[in-house]
Amino acid sequence: MPNRKKTELAYMYFIPKPHKKRTPLRPILNTIHAATKPISQFLDRLIRPLFDRFVRQTTIVDGADLLDRFQHYTEKGYLKSSTLFITFDINNLYTMLPQEESLNILAEFLRLHNCEKVNGLSIDTIIELARVVLQANAFVYNKKFYRQIIGGAMGSAFTLTLANIFMWKWERQTILPKLASHEVYGRYIDDVFFTSNESEDKVKQILDAANNFHPNIKLEYKIGKSLPFLDVLVQNNNGILVSSLYHKPSAQPTVVSFLSDHPRHVFRNVIQTALTRAVRYSSTFEIFNNERRVIRLMFLYNGYPSNYINQQFEKFFADYLSSISPPILPMITN
């Protein structure tokens, strides 16, 4: 039960999206002390593990996961010189979810996966709790009171899980039936990547049909042989996969400053993480070496002493070369 003494009405604020054209604003609801927060967190803990378990095959968790799928794809000879890469993202997914339809899809998801009861709760009880989270979402903005009647609150834990489950149904009705079973397909919330060996016109027909399938779900897509997805850039170089770390144009070369009051191990970990990701994403030594220079300049820019950077780089490569485990990315070639 919410604590009446600590409960506060949610309020809305906005975060700019500098990587989008014309820098649109993302509406966020601060629900830290909202009455529905405990229910939202409870449902998220209850349902998200089920989604992660049952929909793992079509979920991409990060760039390394995408490259792992590409490795199997290329090993089986599916990557041709004509293979197209496609990405698209859903516009304002969280705030455009149809509430009752989303609840119906949640019930369908649970029944389809034989989850008639989850931790002792029936599907009907779960749906009623989810309805409270969606439909009792009141907030204040500009000295006026509002109740959200479409979508879920960005800032509420369960909204992400519900959006994922809604998209699970949408992609099964629109994209997946049109793709060959061996093609790479994966979704990270509202961002989708897939491959196709069909013509570009055929791919556009599939995407345009998907764009018109649901009035609330509109997508923006890109088709090509060199596309970024999440933080990795993949290229089809005449049937050979080339991958590298992707830096958004709006990204700033900022990490934890060396002058900040953090424990020393934090600075070491930041460098190790940057190098590890570069190794994982770089398909050739040349690409990695270029990224290594970018990483070094980034740390110099953030006040890291040159000698300290050199020491951490040397330690990373020594540990990597002496490791008896398989290479971080078997696809890396010299």
Side-chain angles (χ1 to χ4, degrees):
M1 290 293 293
N3 187 327
R4 292 190 177 186
K5 293 182 179 180
K6 295 183 178 180
T7 297
E8 297 177 0
L9 192 63
Y11 63 88
M12 184 167 66
Y13 63 97
F14 299 91
I15 295 178
K17 303 179 187 179
H19 59 288
K20 297 281 189 178
K21 291 181 180 179
R22 297 182 293 276
T23 314
L25 298 177
R26 185 193 308 275
I28 306 292
L29 289 187
N30 185 325
T31 60
I32 293 178
H33 299 296
T36 58
K37 179 187 175 182
I39 304 175
S40 179
Q41 291 179 323
F42 171 76
L43 287 174
D44 188 56
R45 291 193 300 267
L46 191 71
I47 305 300
R48 186 182 296 204
L50 300 177
F51 175 84
D52 292 341
R53 186 200 316 170
F54 295 128
V55 196
R56 181 64 182 91
Q57 186 176 358
T58 56
T59 300
I60 293 177
V61 297
D62 55 23
D65 186 22
L66 175 62
L67 292 179
D68 184 58
R69 297 178 189 221
F70 257 119
Q71 183 174 351
H72 296 292
Y73 186 76
T74 55
E75 286 175 350
K76 293 182 179 180
Y78 296 133
L79 182 64
K80 312 293 185 183
S81 60
S82 58
T83 301
L84 295 173
F85 299 159
I86 301 94
T87 64
F88 66 83
D89 70 296
I90 307 298
N91 293 330
N92 305 314
L93 173 61
Y94 294 169
T95 55
M96 292 304 294
L97 288 175
Q99 293 182 346
E100 280 300 324
E101 185 178 354
S102 298
L103 295 175
N104 292 335
I105 292 173
L106 172 59
E108 178 185 345
F109 174 83
L110 294 173
R111 291 192 178 96
L112 184 66
H113 295 99
N114 300 314
C115 300
E116 294 298 330
K117 284 197 173 183
V118 184
N119 287 3
L121 292 181
S122 68
I123 292 177
D124 289 342
T125 301
I126 292 171
I127 297 304
E128 286 307 310
L129 289 173
R131 181 174 282 110
V132 170
V133 172
L134 287 179
Q135 298 183 356
N137 185 28
F139 62 94
V140 64
Y141 173 69
N142 200 21
K143 298 182 180 180
K144 293 183 179 180
F145 297 104
Y146 296 88
R147 182 172 66 86
Q148 190 165 356
I149 59 175
I150 299 177
M154 293 191 67
S156 179
F158 186 60
T159 300
L160 169 60
T161 299
L162 189 62
N164 266 326
I165 291 175
F166 182 90
M167 289 301 298
W168 159 82
K169 177 66 178 291
W170 180 88
E171 66 192 4
R172 293 172 75 231
Q173 294 176 306
T174 56
I175 304 295
L176 291 176
K178 309 291 180 60
L179 297 183
S181 60
H182 63 266
E183 297 292 357
V184 174
Y185 177 91
R187 178 173 56 83
Y188 181 84
I189 309 175
D190 57 354
D191 292 310
V192 175
F193 179 97
F194 67 92
T195 60
S196 177
N197 283 286
E198 300 282 359
S199 67
E200 185 170 342
D201 287 341
K202 177 65 174 178
V203 173
K204 286 182 178 179
Q205 290 177 11
I206 295 172
L207 293 169
D208 290 340
N211 205 21
N212 294 321
F213 182 79
H214 195 287
N216 290 36
I217 304 301
K218 299 301 176 183
L219 53 91
E220 296 180 4
Y221 62 79
K222 294 180 181 178
I223 304 172
K225 294 186 179 180
S226 176
L227 288 177
F229 186 74
L230 302 180
D231 57 350
V232 62
L233 176 67
V234 289
Q235 303 174 67
N236 180 356
N237 185 6
N238 198 29
I240 298 174
L241 181 69
V242 178
S243 62
S244 58
L245 197 64
Y246 175 66
H247 301 275
K248 288 185 177 181
S250 59
Q252 298 296 316
T254 304
V255 293
V256 176
S257 171
F258 197 77
L259 301 178
S260 63
D261 189 21
H262 282 80
R264 296 293 94 181
H265 72 270
V266 171
F267 305 125
R268 295 194 300 269
N269 291 346
V270 171
I271 295 177
Q272 299 288 312
T273 299
L275 289 172
T276 299
R277 189 170 63 153
V279 170
R280 285 176 170 168
Y281 287 8
S282 301
S283 57
T284 67
F285 180 77
E286 180 183 4
I287 292 174
F288 169 76
N289 216 25
N290 290 335
E291 184 61 31
R292 179 185 60 80
R293 296 189 186 100
V294 172
I295 292 171
R296 178 178 176 79
L297 289 173
M298 177 179 67
F299 285 111
L300 287 171
Y301 176 80
N302 286 274
Y304 288 65
S306 180
N307 288 340
Y308 183 82
I309 297 173
N310 291 339
Q311 290 172 4
Q312 296 307 314
F313 275 34
E314 290 172 4
K315 182 180 185 305
F316 174 84
F317 292 121
D319 292 344
Y320 179 72
L321 293 175
S322 64
S323 174
I324 60 173
S325 60
I328 295 176
L329 181 60
M331 295 172 65
I332 192 167
T333 57
N334 191 339

